Amino acid sequence: MPEPTHQDEPLLEVKDLVKHFPIRRGFLKRVVGYVRAVDGVSFHVMEGETLGLVGESGCGKTTAGRSILRAIPPTSGEVWFRDPVLGPVDVTKLDREQLRQVWRNMRVIFQDPYASLSPRMTLLDIVGAPLRAMGLATGKELEDRVAEMLQLVGLRPEYMRRYPHAFSGGQRQRIGLARALAPNPKFVICDEPVSALDVSVQAQILNLLEDLQEKMGLTYLFVAHDLSVVAHISDRVAVMYVGKIVEMAPTAELFLSPRHPYTEALMSAIPRPDPRPREKRILLKGEVANPANPPSGCYFHPRCAYVQDICAKEEPPLEEISPGHWVKCHLARELRLTGAVQL
Amino acid sequence: MLGNSALVEIKNLRTYFHLPEGTVRAVDGVDLTIRRGRTLGIVGESGCGKSVTALSLLRLVPSPGRIEGGEILFYRTVEEASASSALTDVIDLARLEPNGREMRSIRGNQISMVFQEPMSALIPVRTVGSQITEVITLHQKVSEAEAREIAADMLARVRLPKPRQALDDYPFQLSGGMRQRAVIAMALCCRPKLLIADEPTTALDVTTEAQILDLMRELQKEFGMAIMYITHNLGVIAEMAETVAVMYLGKVVELTDVKTLFMSPLHPYTRALLRSIPQLTDAVARGTKKPRLQTIEGMVPDPYSVLPGCTFHPRCPERLPDLCDRVEPGVSEVAPGHSVKCHLYSSP
Ligand SMILES: Nc1ncnc2c1ncn2[C@@H]1O[C@H](COP(=O)(O)OP(=O)(O)OP(=O)(O)O)[C@@H](O)[C@H]1O
Ligand SMILES: Nc1ncnc2c1ncn2[C@@H]1O[C@H](COP(=O)(O)OP(=O)(O)O)[C@@H](O)[C@H]1O
Ligand code: SF4
Ligand code: SF4
Ligand SMILES: [Mg+2]
Ligand SMILES: [Mg+2]
């Protein structure tokens, strides 16, 4: 039975999160600059909801996820999490002991099902590790719980004594999922969980994630670069460009009527499994900006088809231009942009 | 004339890897035709044999892999200087010495390739210019200086912003997208008749991928080469290919033009594959209820297994009892240019 939910309160609220990595050079390893991997990101996730986070590689999705979990210490910002035991806490301010408690309920699954599983551990060790580390179960009880988890993600409990190399990509992703869900968490960051998988396996894992969400009352932050996958699984979607959220809206609204030029271009760039000729394609100039040396003003201005004088001078604010639809663009209210889907 | 004629005909190609654990039948009886100036797409899930098919054609199959049988007929154009006319002769690439003089004069010259990871195609410690000029002087009778001119011209044609400057850049000084442009320039500098592109954009960002796909289409118009385009991405196939071969476990299971593939696919595997992609329109049109994706039951069997009958039968929702698990289906041409390897379509 899922615990009672607080549907109208956010489970997670991220405020102005920043993560800068120092760039060191020379013999003395002096800091010569910073990679602005996450550069002032704010959003919330409601209980039971799936928030999709999309953007091209290097835009800061993984760093945002790791900073939220405090797998790496954020440079600044707040991460409010409604922990079932501790109550609302700012994860960035917790001590070691409190963090351990919070990590029972904030879990992560990774993109690469190969690299993220130790080859020398059996499934019992892998899936049981968080339970053992958190002192949640030992001995027979631990085995029962692992068996239950394996079954839940569609693997045979008899596989418990096997090593991960004997499993396919999709099966390994199921193992990663069993490990993440073993402590019965509330919130899971899924970092590109299907990006390394073939389409037919991807479909199985996406269905599984949805089933588990319903069964266990899970809340997801779903990170990906594939817009169709994100559209499929998310209730709302946030679009990132060079460390910042540039647009955030309910899924259908974002894909039907994007309001940020980068979102429009990204949607236009996706190769679609449909050979019929499509509307004019927007081909962006240049490449994604370097987060160690971002452009002035709006980070997107060197590539933007709608750029104005102001764009190179002033950074636009992230504004709520209609209920629940946030846009970071000086022209958000004026532009009429083309969505990925026309109804 | 040469317009629509075959450039490469692959006939019953079999390329196996003999490993201690067993034999991997990576390519197991593939028939394909690549036409001059046209794009043949090859699509299928990981491990189905796309790359090994391409490597076989280039005679770059790594050991312990071996071409076990079949033909790879290359209809080569021989420029007759005296008659100033083009003749063709046929050569079976499968019979050539992989590193012999003849194969080396074809590879990188008349048939060239672009792979997924642009970094691996370029030597990190040498400038982009020196690597392209080397390819040119290897295959063409031109001076060093002329080769450099050709290289600069090629870099301009792949729309590298500062082509002359890029000649003296090292690969690491270029971004991923720029590197892939340089690799494409290198592949095209000898004006190949066939370009083999194996997932050339998989490692790139979506917006950069769109630029590269667009560039490849333009260059094909400009240079008139045939392209064998390999990808697992059905979206990319829809954009790039004219004819598409769908592979499953080392075999081509369906071959048709790209429109038919998406609008009326016939093979149960192709149909299942297309149904398993999340569709943007469904996601947007739905209410709050998420539609479930259709999946293919089970998994791709391990590569050592030898399945009797149709290799898709353990997963096929339409398998015919007493037939599919015993008898391998032949290839049926259901319409001109549309063939399917499945009992459902074989004429009695
Ligand atoms: N060097 C090798 N040694 C042994 N087996 C190999 C080798 N290269 C490929 N294979 C096997 O041959 C089969 C076909 O591989 P291939 O690389 O052609 O697949 P692919 O369709 O290109 O897949 P992907 O989409 O993952 O690139 C696989 O079972 C693979 O494991
Ligand atoms: N440990 C690190 N040290 C320095 N730079 C890093 C580190 N981790 C990530 N970065 C940089 O931060 C930026 C964002 O990376 P990442 O969060 O991995 O992006 P994404 O997950 O969106 O692909 C990139 O420029 C990346 O190179
Ligand atoms: S602020 Fe200006 S440059 Fe930035 S996205 Fe909007 S219009 Fe384009
Ligand atoms: S031959 Fe039989 S098992 Fe194979 S795809 Fe056709 S119906 Fe399915
Ligand atoms: Mg990442
Ligand atoms: Mg391959």
Side-chain angles (χ1 to χ4, degrees), chain B residues 37-267:
Chain B
R38 296 308 181 88
T39 304
L40 171 71
I42 300 190
V43 70
E45 298 183 276
S46 184
C48 71
K50 306 181 292 295
S51 297
V52 175
T53 303
L55 293 173
S56 303
L57 212 162
L58 292 161
R59 298 308 310 275
L60 290 175
V61 176
S63 73
R66 247 184 53 198
I67 295 182
E68 301 280 320
E71 296 172 287
I72 305 172
L73 303 180
F74 178 40
Y75 295 84
R76 183 159 62 150
T77 339
V78 186
E79 313 288 346
E80 289 278 277
S82 53
S84 76
S85 68
L87 300 171
T88 50
D89 74 346
V90 189
I91 183 166
D92 184 356
L93 302 183
R95 300 268 173 283
L96 294 185
E97 201 48 53
N99 274 316
R101 195 186 55 82
E102 187 127 47
M103 196 60 226
R104 276 185 291 129
S105 77
I106 293 172
R107 190 166 53 223
N109 185 21
Q110 302 188 50
I111 302 180
S112 64
M113 57 272 175
V114 178
F115 294 121
Q116 171 168 352
E117 188 33 72
M119 208 54 193
S120 67
L122 295 166
I123 302 159
V125 295
R126 288 182 44 199
T127 64
V128 170
S130 75
Q131 299 187 53
I132 301 180
T133 9
E134 183 179 302
V135 176
I136 298 169
T137 49
L138 183 69
H139 296 294
Q140 298 175 26
K141 292 192 193 71
V142 293
S143 71
E144 197 70 26
E146 285 166 323
R148 215 177 133 82
E149 274 316 297
I150 301 176
D153 175 57
M154 280 314 306
L155 289 177
R157 281 164 185 259
V158 298
R159 333 274 189 261
L160 222 63
K162 292 175 190 133
R164 292 221 162 256
Q165 188 183 320
L167 282 176
D168 299 316
D169 279 341
Y170 288 90
F172 69 87
Q173 289 172 297
L174 302 176
S175 68
M178 292 302 155
R179 268 199 300 261
Q180 199 57 295
R181 282 171 200 266
V183 172
I184 292 173
M186 186 148 86
L188 296 186
C189 63
C190 293
R191 310 242 164 187
K193 294 282 178 279
L194 171 63
L195 176 69
I196 298 180
D198 189 354
E199 311 254 8
T201 61
T202 305
L204 303 175
D205 280 330
V206 210
T207 55
T208 312
E209 171 176 67
Q211 295 168 346
I212 299 286
L213 294 182
D214 193 61
L215 175 73
M216 290 191 42
R217 275 191 302 253
E218 279 182 36
L219 291 172
Q220 185 179 27
K221 267 192 219 136
E222 212 173 307
F223 290 72
M225 74 272 185
I227 299 181
M228 174 166 160
Y229 200 100
I230 296 177
T231 176
H232 67 278
N233 185 324
L234 287 154
V236 172
I237 274 291
E239 293 208 357
M240 294 303 291
E242 293 165 296
T243 305
V244 182
V246 180
M247 285 186 75
Y248 184 77
L249 278 182
K251 298 182 200 292
V252 174
V253 296
E254 184 158 9
L255 179 78
T256 183
D257 66 280
V258 69
K259 263 223 176 75
T260 308
L261 182 86
F262 286 93
M263 298 308 170
S264 38
L266 292 180
H267 196 281

Side-chain angles (χ1 to χ4, degrees), chain A residues 50 56-58 168 171 197-204 206-208 210-211 213-214 225 227-229 231-235 251-253 255-256 262 265-266 268-278 281-288 303 340-343, chain B residues 44-47 175-178 181 203-211 213-214 217-218 232-239 258-260 262-263 269 273-274 276-281 283-286 288-300 315:
Chain A
T50 300
E56 297 181 88
S57 84
S168 70
Q171 287 176 318
L197 305 176
D198 275 323
V199 271
S200 71
V201 186
Q202 166 179 297
Q204 295 171 349
L206 289 173
N207 283 346
L208 175 64
E210 287 177 357
D211 292 345
Q213 177 165 47
E214 204 166 301
H225 64 266
L227 292 180
S228 323
V229 167
H232 173 81
I233 201 153
S234 309
D235 299 301
T251 304
E253 186 168 332
F255 284 87
L256 285 169
Y262 175 64
L266 194 60
S268 170
I270 336 167
R272 269 191 254 151
D274 183 346
R276 286 171 300 190
R278 54 203 263 188
R281 171 167 232 179
I282 304 163
L283 276 183
L284 288 178
K285 316 170 265 203
E287 289 177 49
V288 176
R303 310 178 76 194
V341 180
Q342 277 84 41
L343 284 188
Chain B
E45 298 183 276
S46 184
S175 68
M178 292 302 155
R181 282 171 200 266
L204 303 175
D205 280 330
V206 210
T207 55
T208 312
E209 171 176 67
Q211 295 168 346
L213 294 182
D214 193 61
R217 275 191 302 253
E218 279 182 36
H232 67 278
N233 185 324
L234 287 154
V236 172
I237 274 291
E239 293 208 357
V258 69
K259 263 223 176 75
T260 308
F262 286 93
M263 298 308 170
Y269 174 66
L273 199 61
L274 287 167
S276 63
I277 329 173
Q279 294 288 342
L280 270 178
T281 32
V284 168
R286 68 153 191 250
T288 43
K289 184 87 189 80
K290 289 171 188 165
R292 275 182 77 80
L293 293 170
Q294 301 207 31
T295 58
I296 306 179
E297 78 177 79
M299 308 178 291
V300 178
R315 310 176 69 194

Side-chain angles (χ1 to χ4, degrees), chain A residues 69-332:
Chain A
L69 285 170
R70 235 179 93 187
I72 49 173
T75 305
S76 62
E78 295 170 20
V79 176
W80 287 92
F81 180 68
R82 211 151 29 72
D83 187 87
V85 175
L86 301 177
V89 286
D90 178 357
V91 180
T92 67
K93 306 253 161 22
L94 299 183
D95 63 30
R96 221 53 223 165
E97 202 43 50
Q98 290 169 311
L99 254 188
R100 270 166 51 103
Q101 169 58 40
V102 163
W103 282 343
R104 279 179 64 172
N105 282 291
M106 288 179 108
R107 311 279 300 160
V108 63
I109 54 173
F110 299 100
Q111 165 169 7
D112 189 345
Y114 298 89
S116 62
L117 300 175
S118 159
R120 274 191 215 86
M121 289 166 77
T122 62
L123 298 204
L124 175 62
D125 298 331
I126 292 170
V127 178
L131 298 172
R132 204 174 278 134
M134 291 168 186
L136 296 176
T138 51
K140 180 82 179 72
E141 203 189 330
L142 184 89
E143 273 185 36
D144 289 347
R145 179 73 182 152
V146 170
E148 186 192 337
M149 291 316 299
L150 291 179
Q151 210 137 28
L152 192 66
V153 299
L155 292 171
R156 297 214 185 108
E158 303 93 88
Y159 291 168
M160 202 184 285
R161 314 268 168 208
R162 295 197 192 171
Y163 294 89
H165 68 81
F167 294 92
S168 70
Q171 287 176 318
R172 292 186 213 210
Q173 205 51 286
R174 289 174 197 264
I175 300 168
L177 201 52
R179 173 177 60 183
L181 301 183
N184 196 18
K186 296 191 75 66
F187 176 65
V188 183
I189 297 182
C190 308
D191 190 353
E192 310 250 15
V194 296
S195 304
L197 305 176
D198 275 323
V199 271
S200 71
V201 186
Q202 166 179 297
Q204 295 171 349
I205 299 293
L206 289 173
N207 283 346
L208 175 64
L209 283 168
E210 287 177 357
D211 292 345
L212 292 171
Q213 177 165 47
E214 204 166 301
K215 258 189 224 158
M216 303 178 69
L218 296 168
T219 303
Y220 291 142
L221 177 64
F222 191 96
V223 175
H225 64 266
D226 184 329
L227 292 180
S228 323
V229 167
V230 166
H232 173 81
I233 201 153
S234 309
D235 299 301
R236 287 186 302 130
V237 176
V239 182
M240 268 184 95
Y241 187 73
V242 196
K244 295 176 191 283
I245 290 179
V246 296
E247 181 160 13
M248 183 158 54
T251 304
E253 186 168 332
L254 188 89
F255 284 87
L256 285 169
S257 39
R259 305 300 290 271
H260 194 284
Y262 175 64
T263 314
E264 181 190 45
L266 194 60
M267 287 175 178
S268 170
I270 336 167
R272 269 191 254 151
D274 183 346
R276 286 171 300 190
R278 54 203 263 188
E279 342 72 68
K280 52 134 187 124
R281 171 167 232 179
I282 304 163
L283 276 183
L284 288 178
K285 316 170 265 203
E287 289 177 49
V288 176
N290 178 358
N293 184 19
S296 61
C298 169
Y299 285 1
F300 188 55
H301 88 257
R303 310 178 76 194
C304 181
Y306 309 96
V307 60
Q308 303 286 312
D309 289 344
I310 184 179
C311 302
K313 293 185 204 118
E314 276 174 43
E315 181 180 343
L318 182 67
E319 277 186 291
E320 190 169 16
I321 60 163
S322 61
H325 196 151
W326 297 78
V327 190
K328 188 178 176 67
C329 169
H330 290 301
L331 307 183

Side-chain angles (χ1 to χ4, degrees), chain B residues 267-268 310 312-313 316 318-320 324 329 341-344:
Chain B
H267 196 281
C310 168
F312 189 54
H313 85 259
C316 181
E318 293 165 69
R319 70 182 156 255
L320 304 165
C324 296
K341 188 178 169 66
C342 168
H343 286 302
L344 295 176

Side-chain angles (χ1 to χ4, degrees), chain A residues 7-75:
Chain A
Q7 289 290 357
D8 37 8
E9 278 175 66
L11 178 67
L12 178 83
E13 187 156 15
V14 175
K15 292 183 179 169
D16 214 9
L17 186 68
V18 173
K19 178 66 192 181
H20 291 174
F21 293 104
I23 306 168
R24 294 174 195 278
R25 287 269 157 72
F27 178 62
L28 293 172
K29 297 273 176 253
R30 276 196 319 150
V31 175
V32 295
Y34 290 92
V35 179
R36 305 157 84 93
V38 174
D39 209 13
V41 157
S42 303
F43 62 83
H44 67 269
V45 193
M46 305 301 284
E47 179 131 21
E49 187 187 37
T50 300
L51 176 69
L53 188 59
V54 289
E56 297 181 88
S57 84
C59 72
K61 305 179 297 291
T62 296
T63 305
R66 286 163 55 82
S67 307
I68 289 167
L69 285 170
R70 235 179 93 187
I72 49 173
T75 305

